[in-house]
Amino acid sequence: CNSVSEGQKLKIVLNFVQAGLLQVYMEGFTLSKNLNISMENYLEIIKNSAAKSPLSEFKLNAIQENNFSTNFSLKNMNKDVNHAIELS
């Protein structure tokens, strides 16, 4: 069966969006670090703005606690991002 179901397509879309969001959060973290802004202040501004999301709460809090465990492998994220690019 070579057809891709709508559920599979939606999963690819979701993973693509989440990968992009996480990248932006980390780029913001790197920028704030380069500007000598503390992680606490960076988290505070994210938590109290329109940039707040369940993903930011989960991943940024984990990073603040030096918890870098993966919940979704980079290999699978890369696969889904590449599928999204191919499908678009």
Side-chain angles (χ1 to χ4, degrees):
C1 178
N2 291 332
S3 66
V4 179
S5 72
E6 185 165 351
Q8 290 169 311
K9 291 175 186 175
L10 285 169
K11 179 76 169 140
I12 290 169
V13 170
L14 176 62
N15 289 343
F16 181 75
V17 170
Q18 289 178 332
L21 286 171
L22 184 56
Q23 179 179 347
V24 170
Y25 289 132
M26 295 314 300
E27 293 286 351
F29 169 67
T30 300
L31 177 59
S32 66
K33 187 175 177 182
N34 290 341
L35 296 172
N36 296 314
I37 297 170
S38 70
M39 177 69 162
E40 292 76 21
N41 285 342
Y42 174 67
L43 289 175
E44 189 68 24
I45 197 69
I46 296 296
K47 288 179 182 179
N48 291 294
S49 71
K52 179 182 177 182
S53 74
L55 181 65
S56 69
E57 297 261 322
F58 175 67
K59 291 306 279 185
L60 295 176
N61 287 335
I63 290 165
Q64 184 179 30
E65 296 167 359
N66 289 319
N67 177 357
F68 298 99
S69 61
T70 59
N71 294 293
F72 187 71
S73 75
L74 187 56
K75 177 183 171 184
N76 287 334
M77 183 182 291
N78 185 55
K79 174 184 60 88
D80 284 353
V81 167
N82 286 325
H83 281 317
I85 291 168
E86 289 172 15
L87 292 170
S88 65

